[in-house]
C-alpha cells in the first residue's frame, strides 16, 4: 500500500512537472511569437500629408567606401531615399573620378558630381593608425558599409567581416565585385568587362559584325542598383534578426540578370530556330549559341528601327516600330496596306515571321515621310507601340523629364550649374530633393565632431597625425 501510495505520489509529481514544462513551453513559444509579432508591428498610421513624413531611409547611416561608378550609383540611390551617406575618400586624392573626364578646369568632373549627390565627404587615410581608429568609430555608428574596392583591398585595410562584425554586429557589409566566387573572383573589373563576361556583348550588335557593348551602364549602374535592393532587404531582415549580414552583387551576375532573355533563347535553340530573329526570315541557319540580333525585338512582338523624315542629315531621325499582333489592323491601315489585314501571307503572326524584313521595309517607306514625333503621334492615336530615338540633347531639353525630377539642374560652387539624373524611382511618401555632390573632405570636421563626438582638441591631434590630410606622397600625386 505504502509502495502504491509512493508510486502514485511520484506519478502525480511527474504529471505536474510535465504540465509545468508544457506550460513553460507554451509560454516560451508565445513569447517567441509575441517578439516576432512585435518586430513586425507597424507604427500608428501617420497623419502627416504624403511627402511630409520624412524619407524612406531616414535614420539609416551609410559608411560609403565606394569609388568610380558601380558603388556610388548604389549609395546615391540610398541617399536619394534619405539615408545619411558618409563618403570616405583618400586625403588629397579622393574618388578617382573627381579628376576624370574633366570639362571645367579644377572643378570636380561631371563623372563624379552626377554619381555623388546628397552625400557628405570625409577624408580619411585608411592606412594611418589614427585613420583606422576613426574608421572603427564610423563602423560602430553606421548601419551599412558599402564598398567596391578590388578583391581583398578592404581586408588589407583591416576591415575584415570578422573585425566589423565584432565592432558592430548589426552592420550590413555590402560589396560590388566583378565576379562571384570562382575562377575569376580576384579579378579587377570595369563596366565593359562585365558586359562581355555577363553575356550582353555576345548577344548585342549585328550578325555580321563584332560583339558590341551598350552605352547603358548595365555593369556598373545596373549592379549598383542590384546592390541597393540587397541592402534594403538586409535592413528589413535586420528588423527581425537584429543582426547584419554580408551582401554581394557581382557585376557578371548583375549583367546576366539583365540579359536573362538571351539565356532563355539559348535554351529555346535546342528546340528549333528562333523564329522572331530576322535571320530566320532571311534563311540564315542558327549556330550553337544565341546570335546577335541587331535591332530585333527581344520579346515576342517583332520590332525594328526605321528611318524617319530627315534621316539623311540627322543621325537620330529614327523610330523603333513594334508590329504588335493585336494592332496589326491599324498598322495596315496607317501604312496604306489594308489588304495585308486579310491576306494569308500577312494576316497572322506566324505567317509574317518569314517576311519581317520586307514588312519593315514597307513600313519604313511610310515612316520616312514623317518626322519621328509625327510617327509617334499618329501611331499612339491607334495604340501602336513606337519609340522615337531620342538624342541626349533632346533628353536634356525635355520639359517633362525636368518636371518629374528625372533630369535636375544643380548648382555647384566650383563648376556652376549642371544637369544630373534625379531619383528614377518615384515614391509618393518619400520625395527626393537632389543636393549637389560634396567637395573633397567638405564635411570632415562636421562628421568628426557631430557624428563621432571628437572634441576640438581631438580634431587638432587628428589633423597633426596625417589621418585626414594628404601625406607628402599623396600631395605630390594630387598636384
Ligand atoms: N586611404 C588609403 N588607401 C585607400 C583609401 C583611403 N581612404 N581608399 C582606397 N585606398 C586604397 C586601397 O586600400 C587599395 O590599396 P591596396 O591595393 O594597396 O590595398 C587602393 O586604394 C586601390 O584600391 P582598388 O584596387 O580598388 O582601386 P583600383 O583603382 O586599382 O581598381 C577597380 C579600381 C574599379 C578596377 C577595382 O576597385 C575593382 O575591381 N572593384 C570591384 C569591381 C567594381 O566595382 N568595378 C566597377 C568600377 S566602376 O567602373
Amino acid at each position: 500500500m505504502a509502495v502504491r501510495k509512493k508510486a502514485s505520489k511520484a506519478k502525480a509529481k511527474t504529471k505536474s512537472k510535465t504540465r509545468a514544462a508544457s506550460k513553460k513551453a507554451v509560454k516560451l513559444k508565445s513569447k517567441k511569437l509575441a517578439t516576432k509579432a512585435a518586430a513586425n508591428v507597424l507604427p500608428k498610421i501617420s497623419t502627416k500629408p504624403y511627402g511630409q513624413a520624412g524619407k524612406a531611409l531616414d535614420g539609416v547611416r551609410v559608411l560609403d567606401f565606394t569609388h568610380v561608378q558601380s558603388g556610388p550609383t548604389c549609395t546615391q540611390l540610398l541617399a536619394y531615399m534619405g539615408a545619411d551617406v558618409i563618403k570616405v575618400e583618400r586625403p588629397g586624392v579622393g574618388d578617382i573620378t573627381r579628376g576624370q573626364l574633366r570639362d571645367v578646369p579644377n572643378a570636380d568632373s561631371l563623372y563624379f558630381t552626377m554619381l555623388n549627390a546628397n552625400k557628405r565627404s570625409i577624408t580619411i587615410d585608411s592606412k594611418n593608425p589614427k585613420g583606422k581608429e576613426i574608421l572603427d568609430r564610423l563602423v560602430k555608428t553606421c548601419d551599412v558599409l558599402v564598398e567596391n574596392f578590388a578583391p581583398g583591398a578592404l581586408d588589407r585595410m583591416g576591415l575584415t567581416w570578422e573585425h566589423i562584425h565584432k565592432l558592430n554586429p548589426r552592420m550590413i557589409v555590402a560589396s560590388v565585385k566583378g565576379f562571384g566566387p570562382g575562377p575569376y573572383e580576384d579579378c579587377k573589373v570595369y563596366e565593359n568587362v562585365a558586359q562581355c563576361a555577363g553575356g550582353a556583348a555576345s548577344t548585342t550588335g549585328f550578325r555580321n559584325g563584332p560583339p558590341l557593348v551598350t552605352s547603358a551602364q548595365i555593369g556598373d549602374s545596373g549592379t549598383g542598383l542590384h546592390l541597393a535592393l540587397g541592402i534594403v532587404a538586409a535592413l528589413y531582415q535586420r528588423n527581425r534578426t537584429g543582426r547584419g549580414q554580408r551582401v554581394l552583387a557581382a557585376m557578371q551576375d548583375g549583367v546576366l540578370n539583365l540579359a536573362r532573355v538571351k539565356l532563355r533563347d539559348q535554351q529555346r535553340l535546342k528546340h528549333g530556330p528562333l523564329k522572331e530573329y530576322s535571320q530566320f526570315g532571311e534563311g540564315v541557319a542558327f549556330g550553337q549559341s544565341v546570335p546577335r540580333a541587331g535591332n530585333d525585338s527581344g520579346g515576342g512582338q517583332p520590332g525594328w528601327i526605321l528611318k524617319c523624315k530627315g534621316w539623311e542629315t540627322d543621325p537620330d531621325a529614327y523610330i523603333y516600330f513594334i508590329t504588335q499582333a493585336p494592332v496589326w489592323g491599324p498598322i495596315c491601315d496607317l501604312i496604306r496596306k489594308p489588304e495585308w489585314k486579310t491576306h494569308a501571307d500577312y494576316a497572322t503572326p506566324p505567317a509574317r515571321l518569314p517576311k519581317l524584313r520586307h514588312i519593315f521595309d514597307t513600313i519604313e517607306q511610310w515612316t520616312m515621310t514623317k518626322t519621328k514625333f509625327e510617327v509617334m503621334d499618329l501611331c499612339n492615336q491607334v495604340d501602336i507601340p513606337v519609340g522615337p530615338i531620342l538624342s541626349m540633347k533632346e533628353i536634356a531639353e525635355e520639359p517633362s523629364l525636368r518636371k518629374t525630377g528625372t533630369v535636375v539642374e544643380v548648382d555647384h560652387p566650383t563648376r556652376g550649374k549642371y544637369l544630373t539624373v534625379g531619383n528614377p524611382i518615384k515614391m509618393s511618401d518619400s520625395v527626393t530633393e537632389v543636393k549637389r555632390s560634396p567637395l573633397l573632405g567638405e564635411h570632415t570636421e562636421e562628421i568628426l565632431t557631430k557624428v563621432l563626438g571628437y572634441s576640438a582638441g581631438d580634431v587638432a591631434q587628428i589633423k597633426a597625425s596625417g589621418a585626414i590630410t594628404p601625406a607628402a606622397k599623396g600631395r605630390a600625386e594630387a598636384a
Side-chain angles (χ1 to χ4, degrees):
M1 183 76 173
V3 174
R4 224 175 15 218
K5 241 187 183 174
K6 226 178 173 182
S8 73
K9 236 184 175 179
K11 215 173 170 186
K13 219 174 173 184
T14 320
K15 244 184 176 177
S16 79
K17 249 188 181 170
T18 320
R19 249 198 320 266
S22 72
K23 249 188 185 171
K24 203 172 164 194
V26 170
K27 239 187 185 170
L28 276 175
K29 213 172 167 190
S30 54
K31 202 172 164 197
K32 222 173 168 184
L33 283 175
T35 326
K36 240 183 170 178
N40 285 325
V41 162
L42 293 172
K44 244 175 65 196
I45 292 175
S46 172
T47 51
K48 290 189 179 157
Y50 272 82
Q52 290 177 31
K55 300 218 162 57
L57 295 180
D58 272 352
V60 173
R61 185 169 281 155
V62 177
L63 172 49
D64 179 8
F65 238 138
T66 67
H67 64 158
V68 202
Q69 185 182 166
S70 62
T73 303
C74 166
T75 50
Q76 179 168 271
L77 279 170
L78 300 177
Y80 279 166
M81 292 181 177
D84 176 14
V85 175
I86 297 175
K87 184 170 172 105
V88 177
E89 295 181 84
R90 205 196 308 224
V93 182
D95 187 326
I96 193 166
T97 60
R98 283 188 185 266
Q100 282 182 337
L101 312 177
R102 264 196 176 135
D103 53 335
V104 178
N106 302 320
D108 287 333
S109 70
L110 287 166
Y111 195 176
F112 178 84
T113 52
M114 292 177 74
L115 281 163
N116 291 285
N118 294 34
K119 304 180 186 177
R120 299 198 271 177
S121 165
I122 179 171
T123 48
I124 304 175
D125 180 351
S126 63
K127 288 169 183 155
N128 173 297
K130 198 79 190 162
K132 283 180 189 291
E133 182 196 304
I134 301 168
L135 278 172
D136 280 357
R137 278 219 205 186
L138 273 168
V139 166
K140 285 184 195 157
T141 175
C142 289
D143 301 280
V144 187
L145 183 154
V146 191
E147 62 95 19
N148 68 309
F149 289 124
L154 196 68
D155 287 0
R156 289 195 290 278
M157 288 178 186
L159 289 171
T160 60
W161 162 254
E162 291 73 24
H163 178 74
I164 295 168
H165 193 64
K166 202 164 151 204
L167 289 179
N168 180 0
R170 294 187 191 279
M171 177 163 263
I172 289 151
V173 179
S175 306
V176 169
K177 293 289 165 263
F179 294 93
Y184 306 120
E185 65 187 316
D186 291 328
C187 299
K188 288 187 176 184
V189 170
Y190 282 105
E191 171 68 48
N192 289 343
V193 177
Q195 287 199 24
C196 294
S202 69
T203 50
T204 304
F206 287 89
R207 202 173 56 246
N208 299 322
L212 269 192
V213 292
T214 165
S215 66
Q217 304 284 283
I218 57 176
D220 280 338
S221 289
T223 309
L225 196 51
H226 283 94
L227 191 71
L229 177 61
I231 291 170
V232 173
L235 282 167
Y236 190 76
Q237 188 173 5
R238 194 181 71 163
N239 287 342
R240 278 186 288 116
T241 62
R243 65 184 185 203
Q245 61 182 297
R246 278 177 283 183
V247 181
L248 169 70
M251 294 168 76
Q252 183 186 38
D253 301 4
V255 169
L256 177 59
N257 189 35
L258 300 176
R260 188 187 317 108
V261 294
K262 298 297 176 180
L263 186 56
R264 173 200 68 194
D265 292 350
Q266 181 62 40
Q267 297 171 84
R268 288 172 60 223
L269 254 184
K270 279 194 208 129
H271 305 282
L274 306 170
K275 292 185 179 165
E276 76 282 14
Y277 282 51
S278 19
Q279 87 175 64
F280 169 70
E282 289 162 28
V284 179
F286 283 80
Q288 299 271 306
S289 305
V290 174
R292 292 185 266 290
N295 287 319
D296 283 331
S297 155
Q301 307 289 352
W304 197 258
I305 289 184
L306 305 179
K307 290 171 184 157
C308 291
K309 199 175 183 174
W311 67 273
E312 299 90 338
T313 51
D314 176 356
D316 299 310
Y318 288 83
I319 196 145
Y320 199 93
F321 198 105
I322 299 176
T323 54
Q324 192 202 8
V327 286
W328 179 243
I331 292 172
C332 297
D333 288 335
L334 207 59
I335 63 168
R336 301 206 179 87
K337 283 278 179 194
E339 65 278 16
W340 279 5
K341 286 193 276 187
T342 48
H343 193 296
D345 287 348
Y346 298 93
T348 64
R352 290 196 288 274
L353 282 177
K355 288 180 229 39
L356 287 178
R357 188 68 271 141
H358 163 64
I359 290 171
F360 282 120
D361 283 348
T362 310
I363 300 174
E364 192 171 58
Q365 294 306 308
W366 175 76
T367 58
M368 278 162 68
T369 65
K370 315 256 178 281
T371 69
K372 60 188 175 188
F373 295 112
E374 285 166 350
V375 176
M376 174 89 175
D377 281 349
L378 290 166
C379 285
N380 275 298
Q381 281 172 30
V382 283
D383 282 342
I384 302 167
V386 291
I389 308 304
L390 293 183
S391 68
M392 272 299 155
K393 183 172 185 298
E394 286 164 330
I395 286 175
E397 292 164 359
E398 172 57 42
S400 65
L401 292 175
R402 298 289 184 100
K403 212 167 162 193
T404 56
T406 296
V407 176
V408 187
E409 190 175 79
V410 192
D411 207 358
H412 188 277
T414 55
R415 64 169 302 114
K417 289 193 165 59
Y418 66 97
L419 291 184
T420 194
V421 182
N423 192 348
I425 303 159
K426 317 294 183 205
M427 295 168 76
S428 64
D429 206 9
S430 180
V431 180
T432 303
E433 305 136 51
V434 179
K435 296 183 207 130
R436 70 161 172 88
S437 61
L439 300 173
L440 179 60
E442 184 175 345
H443 306 98
T444 301
E445 290 203 28
E446 176 185 305
I447 292 162
L448 288 175
T449 53
K450 301 214 171 102
V451 176
L452 301 179
Y454 284 109
S455 67
D458 294 334
V459 173
Q461 259 189 17
I462 289 169
K463 275 185 183 160
S465 74
I468 57 170
T469 41
K473 190 170 169 281
R475 266 197 295 272
E477 273 171 8

